[in-house]
Amino acid sequence: MPKLNRDGVDIYYEVHGSGPPLILTHGYSSTSAMWQGQIAALSKHYKLVLWDMRGHGQSDYPENPALYSEALTVADIAALLDAADADKAIVGGLSLGGYMSLAFYRTHPERVRALLIIDTGPGFKKDDARDAWNKRAHETADRFDREGLAVLKSLSAERASVTHRDATGLARAARGMLTQRDASVMEILPHIKVPSLVVVGADDTPFLAASDYMAAKIPGAEKVVIPAAGHAANIDQPKAFNDAVVSFLDRLDTRQQQKAAS
């Protein structure tokens, strides 16, 4: 599988199928392998791009903490779309991957055809809530430094079974990519102008209110709750998840065909 060199940092990615481009970004401390249950369904009619964020999986784990940030992750997504010859794409992800998809829209709205926001939060308006989140992110980083990859075994499904070379990248990614600096992603929600699907597992309690908030704030957004699913709705209930996403994408294609014909 190919790697993309980003100023000395190799980013691992996979391309499956052909058609309109669709890029999916995994959650923090997971990898592109979390989308295995989606490849057959989504690559049937789309060029599906999957990748490992820096510090994760088969991508590089640079030692410089400055090489882990929201801005660099957004730039990585843009470079991956360039590598896949995609001027515009359906952009989506789970948890941190969904947040980075929203951040990508904020920076490159002209490159986004639609958004898939899965088991994700849009950030925080209040400084104290953001500070509490960041404190937990730093505690997670410290735990990876102390305990290594053994930490993953106590985490949710999309992380417990994945492969990383070591825990150093995950610790740096927690400090540089999982932490948040402002409310800029949350503030973009009312200004999103592309079709958006918000997906959440019915049992993903920490993200239910955030999903309601995004569905209410993003103009015209659709929301699907996946029964009997937790934070990794696509792993817990792959058929229900795939059906919801494919239905949304089919309607997206229909709308765009009607628009072109009018």
Side-chain angles (χ1 to χ4, degrees):
M1 291 294 181
K3 288 193 175 181
L4 178 66
N5 190 280
R6 296 267 301 123
D7 299 323
V9 179
D10 278 345
I11 302 295
Y12 171 87
Y13 70 103
E14 307 173 2
V15 179
H16 301 271
S18 60
L22 163 58
I23 187 166
L24 291 176
T25 301
H26 61 80
Y28 169 71
S29 71
S30 188
T31 72
S32 55
M34 70 164 288
W35 303 111
Q36 283 299 307
Q38 282 63 61
I39 292 173
L42 297 181
S43 66
K44 204 175 289 182
H45 301 295
Y46 295 87
K47 180 192 281 187
L48 177 63
V49 181
L50 307 175
W51 68 296
D52 291 347
M53 286 191 279
R54 47 183 70 209
H56 292 72
Q58 297 179 68
S59 288
D60 279 354
Y61 305 4
E63 292 183 12
N64 183 353
L67 294 178
Y68 299 80
S69 68
E70 178 183 310
L72 283 169
T73 307
V74 165
D76 288 343
I77 295 172
L80 288 162
L81 293 183
D82 292 343
D85 295 320
D87 291 334
K88 202 166 189 168
I90 299 153
V91 177
L94 181 138
S95 201
L96 178 61
Y99 179 88
M100 291 299 185
S101 300
L102 290 167
F104 181 82
Y105 180 89
R106 185 173 68 88
T107 308
H108 301 288
E110 76 288 348
R111 301 198 69 176
V112 180
R113 184 180 166 209
L115 285 165
L116 300 173
I117 308 302
I118 306 150
D119 291 298
T120 294
F124 304 91
K125 267 185 188 169
K126 295 181 178 175
D127 291 343
D128 56 349
R130 189 181 310 109
D131 290 345
W133 172 271
N134 289 345
K135 182 173 181 286
R136 287 194 298 274
H138 281 281
E139 287 168 352
T140 297
D142 293 344
R143 194 174 166 207
F144 273 116
D145 281 338
R146 283 195 314 272
E147 302 174 33
L149 294 176
V151 173
L152 292 171
K153 292 182 172 47
S154 67
L155 301 178
S156 50
E158 82 278 13
R159 299 177 288 184
S161 59
V162 300
T163 303
H164 304 279
R165 292 192 298 283
D166 60 58
T168 60
L170 299 179
R172 294 184 199 111
R175 295 184 181 105
M177 292 155 58
L178 194 58
T179 54
Q180 297 176 13
R181 275 115 188 115
D182 54 40
S184 58
V185 166
M186 181 175 264
E187 288 163 357
I188 198 68
L189 298 178
H191 308 289
I192 290 174
K193 293 181 169 63
V194 297
S196 302
L197 178 67
V198 177
V199 181
V200 66
D203 302 328
D204 189 10
T205 308
F207 289 87
L208 293 176
S211 298
D212 287 342
Y213 181 87
M214 289 187 291
K217 288 290 183 183
I218 298 172
E222 300 177 35
K223 189 184 80 163
V224 173
V225 179
I226 306 292
H231 189 53
N234 66 306
I235 294 174
D236 294 342
Q237 297 294 341
K239 185 179 185 306
F241 177 87
N242 293 348
D243 287 350
V245 171
V246 169
S247 173
F248 171 77
L249 295 176
D250 285 349
R251 282 178 278 120
L252 177 67
D253 288 338
T254 301
R255 280 198 298 268
Q256 299 208 324
Q257 286 163 6
Q258 289 170 344
K259 194 174 176 183
S262 62

